[in-house]
Amino acid sequence: MMKENFKRAAGVITVVLIAVFFTRCQQEDEEVGTQGTTLSSAKQWFKEYEAKGDNYVYLQNLLYDWPGAIVKQAEDGTEMIVVPIKELKINQSEIWQQRLYLYKLPDGSYKASVVEIYPDKAAPQEDQSMEGGNFNGYISVWDLKKGFVKAAQFKDNHAVEDGIVEVLPREDKTTYRAPSLNPCGDGCNDGAGGGNPIQVPRILPTELREVVKINSYTGPKPKLGTPVAYYGPRSPVIGGTTPGGYTSPGGGNGGGGSAPPPATALNPCDKMKILMANPNFIVKLEELLKKTNLKVESGYSQSKNGPFTPLTGTSSTENSDKISLASDANTVGYIHTHLDPYERVLPNGETQSVAPIKMFSPGDVKQFVILLLNASRNNIPIDNIYGTMVSSSATYQLRFTGNIADVSLKGGSMNWDALDDLYKVAMRGNKELGFLKFLNEQIGINGIELYKIEASGNSRKTLDTNGKVSTINCN
């Protein structure tokens, strides 16, 4: 009897196991079928997307490994397809990687990003992988059509510093500076004055791919898809973001994946009224109005907590009259002078006539952009950020009402040092007209607005449909 019961039980168990096996196989077949359909749909979408206009110059001719693609969920729940890219490496010992990320949108289309991963060669091998759970290195994200989006350094699987990547073509052997826009922490020393930004050396914590030394590279010219790039530091990332969160559709803004503050909470005119009601600001404004006849600019930066700190003059062998603005995580604005014409005595004893331009310079706009980017990473309302220029002819202020993503995208890829000659040409006539056209045509960041401060009231200066200056009163 016991033997028969055992046989009966064994038979039941066998039937159950067979049923489970076939059920599991069916489920796996369904999952494979679903994944295959998803990949096919994503591949078709990407083929059409890639064919619409040219890709960014260094992201052309990439070799996508579609058979190796996987479908997974991002940390924010978004369905995404990760497609390996066959890297065009000069040296196969290089350990950087490229991946195509396709994020599925509610309408069934996708958003495409190219993610580049640069593990820290000094880290243990198990800590050089994003999937290892303790990643150490750098991650940069690129828009396939527009170029650089964002970059960050990771230590022990958490973002510790936000950054910017500058692509340096191998055939250009003239200079290998780090990024021209470097919204660093306490170490920034770029001029906030009316002339050329000060050229200061940058700290390069690591190299991304092979770094070409000046006039020393003799190897083969790489194909498109293999630029030389530097990672330049910005400011510390607050809150820490994991690689998985950073590569999610909305991740990587330095706040654990949370969205940056709204572009504006108050109208710029209202914010200016609040600032003009601040007695400390008025005292600084009145003081600077009396200092435009000096031979060195004067000014102050304002902390988010309220205090004003004097700006210091730059050290220069060319008798620079500019001041430097240290852009840290707490700075919300600056106010500084542009000087009246004066005679400068050169080291050889000769005199030189100097006629500063009484309007914001490219360096001033650059500093304003740096403050915007710092604010977006440090939970400071964007509408608090301002830049003020005081001259004997007029006082102007910069405010921002646009999308901070546009600032990051365009400001981070702009060659600021190349703007000075274009600026001087634009400013030969009417200063307001020239500057507004310069903002539109050369800077191209939507939302940077020009305001004039007068005793009779503040006003916004903009271009009308005929390309002439239009004045919109704040009061």
Side-chain angles (χ1 to χ4, degrees):
M1 179 67 68
M2 185 177 294
K3 188 173 182 180
E4 291 179 2
N5 289 340
F6 177 78
K7 288 182 178 179
R8 189 178 297 114
V12 171
I13 293 172
T14 301
V15 171
V16 171
L17 288 176
I18 291 173
V20 169
F21 173 78
F22 280 108
T23 300
R24 183 176 298 170
C25 287
Q26 183 178 2
Q27 289 175 341
E28 289 178 353
D29 288 342
E30 290 175 354
E31 290 176 359
V32 170
T34 302
Q35 176 165 300
T37 302
T38 300
L39 287 176
S40 176
S41 173
K43 186 175 181 180
Q44 181 61 35
W45 177 89
F46 184 72
K47 181 179 179 181
E48 296 173 1
Y49 168 77
E50 195 176 23
K52 293 178 181 178
D54 294 333
N55 288 343
Y56 180 63
V57 62
Y58 291 113
L59 299 178
Q60 295 187 56
N61 303 326
L62 297 182
L63 304 177
Y64 301 101
D65 180 18
W66 285 99
I70 59 171
V71 181
K72 58 189 295 187
Q73 271 198 340
E75 283 194 6
D76 63 2
T78 302
E79 181 180 285
M80 65 182 185
I81 294 92
V82 182
V83 185
I85 296 175
K86 298 177 182 179
E87 299 90 2
L88 301 175
K89 299 175 179 176
I90 294 178
N91 186 342
Q92 291 305 310
S93 66
E94 298 173 16
I95 60 176
W96 57 271
Q97 303 172 23
Q98 291 175 314
R99 300 175 186 176
L100 172 66
Y101 278 67
L102 298 176
Y103 306 104
K104 192 168 185 178
L105 302 178
D107 63 1
S109 63
Y110 294 85
K111 172 186 175 183
S113 293
V114 172
V115 174
E116 296 192 322
I117 304 141
Y118 308 91
D120 183 355
K121 291 183 178 181
Q125 188 170 0
E126 62 270 19
D127 296 338
Q128 295 180 2
S129 170
M130 281 179 57
E131 288 74 32
N134 199 37
F135 177 71
N136 283 265
Y138 301 82
I139 296 175
S140 65
V141 180
W142 301 75
D143 183 288
L144 205 67
K145 300 296 184 181
K146 299 177 181 178
F148 176 76
V149 176
K150 60 186 179 182
Q153 179 186 9
F154 290 80
K155 289 185 180 179
D156 298 329
N157 225 46
H158 283 81
V160 295
E161 190 171 56
D162 197 7
I164 185 168
V165 169
E166 181 183 25
V167 176
L168 304 175
R170 291 177 183 268
E171 53 270 20
D172 178 7
K173 302 290 174 45
T174 57
T175 178
Y176 286 94
R177 295 187 185 278
S180 55
L181 173 64
N182 184 27
C184 45
D186 297 330
C188 253
N189 191 31
D190 285 326
N196 296 330
I198 303 303
Q199 297 298 320
V200 295
R202 307 297 191 189
I203 298 173
L204 304 178
T206 188
E207 60 186 58
L208 308 185
R209 305 173 176 169
E210 181 177 347
V211 176
V212 179
K213 305 300 181 183
I214 299 177
N215 295 326
S216 66
Y217 180 70
T218 58
K221 182 177 179 180
K223 301 176 183 178
L224 290 177
T226 58
V228 177
Y230 281 124
Y231 174 93
R234 284 184 175 179
S235 64
V237 175
I238 306 300
T241 303
T242 65
Y246 197 74
T247 53
S248 291
N253 52 51
S258 60
T264 55
L266 286 178
N267 183 285
C269 288
D270 294 332
K271 295 298 293 189
M272 291 178 68
K273 289 178 184 177
I274 295 173
L275 185 62
M276 295 298 290
N278 182 343
N280 290 331
F281 180 82
I282 295 301
V283 167
K284 300 298 183 290
L285 176 59
E286 292 176 348
E287 173 194 331
L288 295 179
L289 283 169
K290 300 174 182 177
K291 292 185 174 182
T292 62
N293 60 344
L294 301 181
K295 295 186 179 182
V296 177
E297 293 180 352
S298 307
Y300 295 88
S301 63
Q302 185 183 8
S303 164
K304 67 179 181 180
N305 298 320
F308 288 83
T309 302
L311 299 175
T312 58
T314 59
S315 58
S316 172
T317 57
E318 299 178 355
N319 294 326
S320 174
D321 57 14
K322 307 302 181 288
I323 53 177
S324 61
L325 173 61
S327 304
D328 58 31
N330 295 317
T331 303
V332 296
Y334 65 79
I335 176 171
H336 74 300
T337 60
H338 278 198
L339 304 174
D340 299 327
Y342 67 94
E343 296 293 320
R344 173 188 296 167
V345 179
L346 301 176
N348 61 7
E350 296 181 0
T351 59
Q352 178 187 51
S353 296
V354 181
I357 297 175
K358 297 176 182 180
M359 179 53 75
F360 289 106
S361 70
D364 295 336
V365 179
K366 175 182 175 181
Q367 295 301 329
F368 180 68
V369 166
I370 290 172
L371 293 184
L372 292 173
L373 293 173
N374 279 347
S376 72
R377 290 190 297 272
N378 292 286
N379 296 318
I380 297 174
I382 300 299
D383 60 348
N384 284 354
I385 305 304
Y386 70 89
T388 307
M389 189 283 302
V390 179
S391 74
S392 58
S393 60
T395 297
Y396 294 95
Q397 190 165 111
L398 294 176
R399 290 281 177 172
F400 182 70
T401 60
N403 189 328
I404 194 64
D406 192 42
V407 180
S408 179
L409 178 63
K410 295 178 181 177
S413 60
M414 189 172 302
N415 184 0
W416 293 90
D417 297 339
L419 295 177
D420 292 301
D421 289 340
L422 296 171
Y423 171 79
K424 292 173 183 176
V425 172
M427 302 304 290
R428 286 175 180 171
N430 181 286
K431 299 300 182 285
E432 290 181 358
L433 177 62
F435 181 71
L436 290 170
K437 287 186 175 181
F438 177 78
L439 273 183
N440 288 350
E441 298 171 5
Q442 306 302 333
I443 302 295
I445 298 175
N446 296 324
I448 297 180
E449 297 180 348
L450 178 67
Y451 290 81
K452 188 174 184 179
I453 297 175
E454 298 178 280
S456 58
N458 307 322
S459 60
R460 179 189 171 195
K461 301 292 182 177
T462 186
L463 293 176
D464 61 20
T465 55
N466 296 318
K468 297 182 179 180
V469 178
S470 173
T471 300
I472 305 172
N473 292 327
C474 278
N475 301 325

